Amino acid sequence: MSEGIQIEINNLNKHFGHLHVLKNINLSIPKGEFVALVGPSGCGKSTLLRSIAGLEKISSGDMSIAGEIVNHLPPRKRDIAMVFQSYALYPHMNVQDNLTYSLRIKGMKKKSANIEAAKVAKTIGLSELLQRYPRELSGGQRQRVAMGRAIIREPKAFLFDEPLSNLDASLRVHMRKEIRSLHDKLGATSVYVTHDQIEAMTMADQVVVLNEGEIVQQGSPLELYDSPVNKFVAGFIGSPAMNFIKGIVSSDGRSVELQFKVKQKISLKSVFTPGMTVDVGIRPEHLDINASQTNLKVAVNSMEATGSSTYYVADTEPALSFIEQGRSSIVDRENVNLYVAPEHVYLFDAKSGLAL
Amino acid sequence: MRALLASLRDGRGFDISLISITMTFLLLFCGVPLIYNAIMSFQEVDIFNLNTFIRPWVGFDNYRALFADATTLPIFYNTLVFVFFSIAGQFLVGFALALFFSLKFSGSTYLRGLFLVSWVMPGLVVGAIWNWILSGDFGILNHVLKYIGVISDNIFWRSDIHFSLWAVIIANIWLGTAFNMILLSVGLAAIPNDIYEAAQLDGANAIQRFRTITLPMMRATIGAVVSLGLIFTLQQFDLFAAITSGGPANSSNVAQYRAWEMSFKEYDFARGATISVLMIGVVMIASIIYVRSTKQEIRG
């Protein structure tokens, strides 16, 4: 057990009947860090979070929180707070009683618990709503109450289970910042589950990508963006998603031939095995339409202008998407010249999907 | 004429005609007899003036005579005991079963369905079966109680004045438990599981979760179950007719059975009506509680 680690998971496995939903999970979360668990639905991220909370029993492996093995501790003894996707507020209690529930359970007098509630309500802007019932609150306000209920306890860790997915888009962006600044203010350790990679990228110190019950990669958001370990992470992180094209490394190993109907060659940053079949990954934002040089010619099939940038889809097989900042500068839609710098061309093994 | 037809087809006329059918039925077969019954309780009624409506008005004489009768107060007391212990028994056993089946073990839904059998059985049949169970000489209940050492001599449940009322209460608890369980199960199922999970993480143990989450969130359901139980136990007639016939010596007689005896065995229709009017008052209060408790349902 190393110093400063708040949550440590060793060789965790979880079975639901015949289903092996978490496979050999190893994860250590330093104190004060904001960790996002991200992956497509069914990847096991929520199960992992619920295992940390103790709401799911783990089948094998060890889990410790603040240095104490918690494998067999029930949720109520783990001293962990969780914010649920549905908020799970107590509908028969007003905001004040919702906030003070954990304190009153611990035996704190109602009067002093209410003083704590007032403090917490002030930090998260709920002071006016203490006497309201959950049904009288908007989605964003309920979200705040759920947060308040978590922070009033000063727990060993905060767990978030897709807390923003029931909010509308603009509120979601706002709450993202608020949760993160709250985390910094409290110096808390947070584990945040989301299927939205943008949430993970913008909020977390560490992003853990899960797929089919396994940790595929973990690292800082930009590490994942810059050097994905495999095709799955490359495709999952970044929006719009990375383009993948079948390719064959040329005989000198310095370039790759993209297997479009009309084959095109682009150069690579280093030497690869000649003749190898690969998946070539290129992010839409790395296909430059206004560069002085060019190594790709395509015809544009469709375009969407958002004002700040323009999204294109090329008439290729598979369809290549790319972005231009600002308004469209294309004159001839049939002949568009693109350039992708060699350092932005990712190669993945065609069979294993691993980055080369 | 055309406007009338149009409104009948898809306007307010349709709503009104639907309601008026029900209202006519209710007024004719519930409202009028209710009022007729109340009026009868203020009249002198006998076999000879039964076929007329205009009878001698006696004011509260029937009420005074009823309370002057030495059997009345014990019977009302029996009614109180019967209602209270029936509801308490039905509710406690029903709630325990509802909680048990909410654990969702394999086969729990089928087992729960089986419990409903008691609810669909006619009261007279239930009474007949319980007569066998409660029988003093060869009843299985006495046999079991003796076997586990609770009693040493047979209890004559139906003919001993100390036990006759309890004989009916036991049968009535069995009869009403399933209904309580089903209503309470529905109430339990309506509480979202994540609230329990949140309470667990907030440090609440099972007893604290039951006290602070289950009970308050079940308030509306419990109110409905108890007030419906009050109405149903005040209606319970079949079991008395089948098991004790109110005897021996009125020891298991209750108001509803007494009202029937008065009217249809002793042909004292006025006295029977008087008891019924008093019971209507109690049922009305229960109905108001029922309606109010279903209105206050908490929605998250």
Side-chain angles (χ1 to χ4, degrees), chain B residues 109-150:
Chain B
T109 36
Y110 297 103
L111 261 179
R112 186 166 61 188
L114 268 184
F115 269 82
L116 265 188
V117 168
S118 72
W119 182 246
V120 298
M121 269 165 64
L124 280 174
V125 176
V126 172
I129 292 167
W130 275 96
N131 278 345
W132 285 63
I133 296 172
L134 297 165
S135 164
D137 298 318
F138 54 83
I140 186 86
L141 184 61
N142 276 345
H143 181 75
V144 169
L145 290 179
K146 269 204 291 201
Y147 186 78
I148 58 176
V150 178

Side-chain angles (χ1 to χ4, degrees), chain A residues 22-23 25-27 35-40 43-45 48 192-197 200-201 204 206-225 227-238 283:
Chain A
L22 291 174
K23 299 165 191 163
I25 302 286
N26 286 293
L27 186 63
V35 172
L37 304 179
V38 65
C43 70
K45 57 190 189 297
L48 180 54
Y192 189 103
V193 159
T194 178
H195 63 270
D196 180 353
Q197 54 93 18
M201 297 286 281
Q206 289 280 320
V207 177
V208 177
V209 183
L210 284 123
N211 189 30
E212 291 173 356
E214 284 176 300
I215 293 182
V216 186
Q217 189 175 6
Q218 72 183 95
S220 74
L222 293 182
E223 265 169 49
L224 297 189
Y225 180 87
S227 32
V229 292
N230 64 11
K231 204 178 149 187
F232 173 79
V233 176
F236 195 79
I237 301 291
R283 294 198 185 277

Side-chain angles (χ1 to χ4, degrees), chain B residues 68-133:
Chain B
D69 188 337
T71 60
T72 302
L73 278 183
I75 285 174
F76 280 176
Y77 176 72
N78 283 347
T79 314
L80 204 69
V81 171
F82 177 70
V83 166
F84 180 81
F85 285 98
S86 290
I87 293 178
Q90 289 172 357
F91 177 77
L92 289 178
V93 180
F95 205 174
L97 282 173
L99 287 169
F100 177 62
F101 284 118
S102 72
L103 297 177
K104 294 200 176 68
F105 48 91
S106 63
S108 60
T109 36
Y110 297 103
L111 261 179
R112 186 166 61 188
L114 268 184
F115 269 82
L116 265 188
V117 168
S118 72
W119 182 246
V120 298
M121 269 165 64
L124 280 174
V125 176
V126 172
I129 292 167
W130 275 96
N131 278 345
W132 285 63
I133 296 172

Side-chain angles (χ1 to χ4, degrees), chain B residues 25-38:
Chain B
F25 184 87
L26 275 177
L27 282 176
L28 212 61
F29 294 106
C30 295
V32 172
L34 216 72
I35 293 162
Y36 184 70
N37 186 61

Side-chain angles (χ1 to χ4, degrees), chain A residues 108-140:
Chain A
M108 191 188 268
K109 288 268 174 299
K110 201 162 179 174
K111 216 172 180 181
S112 34
N114 285 349
I115 294 169
E116 293 296 314
K119 274 191 225 157
V120 168
K122 210 170 171 190
T123 41
I124 51 173
L126 282 173
S127 300
E128 309 298 314
L129 305 171
L130 280 174
Q131 299 308 318
R132 296 258 196 104
Y133 281 88
R135 60 178 176 277
E136 299 164 339
L137 303 177
S138 69

Side-chain angles (χ1 to χ4, degrees), chain A residues 231 234 242-246 258 266 278-284 286 320 340 343-348:
Chain A
K231 204 178 149 187
M242 186 183 268
N243 297 296
F244 292 107
I245 313 111
K246 287 263 171 266
L258 303 179
I266 50 174
V278 292
D279 284 317
V280 181
I282 305 171
R283 294 198 185 277
H286 292 151
L320 207 59
V340 53
E343 66 268 26
H344 288 145
V345 178
Y346 296 90
L347 292 191
F348 302 97

Side-chain angles (χ1 to χ4, degrees), chain A residues 290-311:
Chain A
N290 296 316
S292 51
Q293 41 189 332
T294 174
N295 52 9
L296 260 176
K297 280 193 196 324
V298 294
V300 168
N301 198 11
S302 73
M303 55 185 272
E304 292 170 352
T306 62
S308 65
S309 47
T310 310
Y311 294 80

Side-chain angles (χ1 to χ4, degrees), chain A residues 76-273:
Chain A
R76 66 190 172 88
K77 290 195 175 151
R78 294 196 180 190
D79 192 17
I80 267 184
M82 184 156 163
V83 177
F84 291 79
Q85 180 173 5
S86 61
Y87 316 136
L89 301 180
Y90 309 123
H92 56 295
M93 300 180 196
N94 63 20
V95 171
Q96 179 170 276
D97 291 346
N98 261 285
L99 291 177
T100 58
Y101 183 79
S102 58
L103 304 179
R104 287 182 287 125
I105 287 289
K106 263 188 239 156
M108 191 188 268
K109 288 268 174 299
K110 201 162 179 174
K111 216 172 180 181
S112 34
N114 285 349
I115 294 169
E116 293 296 314
K119 274 191 225 157
V120 168
K122 210 170 171 190
T123 41
I124 51 173
L126 282 173
S127 300
E128 309 298 314
L129 305 171
L130 280 174
Q131 299 308 318
R132 296 258 196 104
Y133 281 88
R135 60 178 176 277
E136 299 164 339
L137 303 177
S138 69
Q141 290 166 336
R142 288 180 199 190
Q143 168 68 53
R144 268 168 222 270
V145 178
M147 301 269 301
R149 197 170 61 178
I151 59 183
I152 198 165
R153 291 174 36 200
E154 297 168 10
K156 289 187 186 134
F158 292 99
L159 307 181
F160 297 90
D161 190 5
E162 310 216 12
L164 304 184
S165 52
N166 287 342
L167 301 179
D168 61 63
S170 62
L171 198 54
R172 208 177 305 167
V173 173
H174 176 73
M175 287 306 290
R176 235 150 62 185
K177 289 202 195 81
E178 211 159 298
I179 290 177
R180 178 66 218 207
S181 69
L182 212 56
H183 166 90
D184 292 336
K185 198 163 28 172
L186 298 168
T189 309
S190 303
V191 185
Y192 189 103
V193 159
T194 178
H195 63 270
D196 180 353
Q197 54 93 18
I198 297 202
E199 253 174 46
M201 297 286 281
T202 50
M203 295 172 77
D205 303 315
Q206 289 280 320
V207 177
V208 177
V209 183
L210 284 123
N211 189 30
E212 291 173 356
E214 284 176 300
I215 293 182
V216 186
Q217 189 175 6
Q218 72 183 95
S220 74
L222 293 182
E223 265 169 49
L224 297 189
Y225 180 87
D226 289 337
S227 32
V229 292
N230 64 11
K231 204 178 149 187
F232 173 79
V233 176
F236 195 79
I237 301 291
S239 173
M242 186 183 268
N243 297 296
F244 292 107
I245 313 111
K246 287 263 171 266
I248 295 170
V249 179
S250 62
S251 51
D252 62 354
R254 292 191 170 276
S255 62
V256 62
E257 193 180 44
L258 303 179
Q259 302 296 299
F260 292 130
K261 276 203 184 94
V262 180
K263 298 183 170 61
Q264 307 201 42
K265 231 177 212 179
I266 50 174
S267 43
L268 299 167
K269 58 180 184 255
S270 52
V271 183
F272 291 87
T273 319

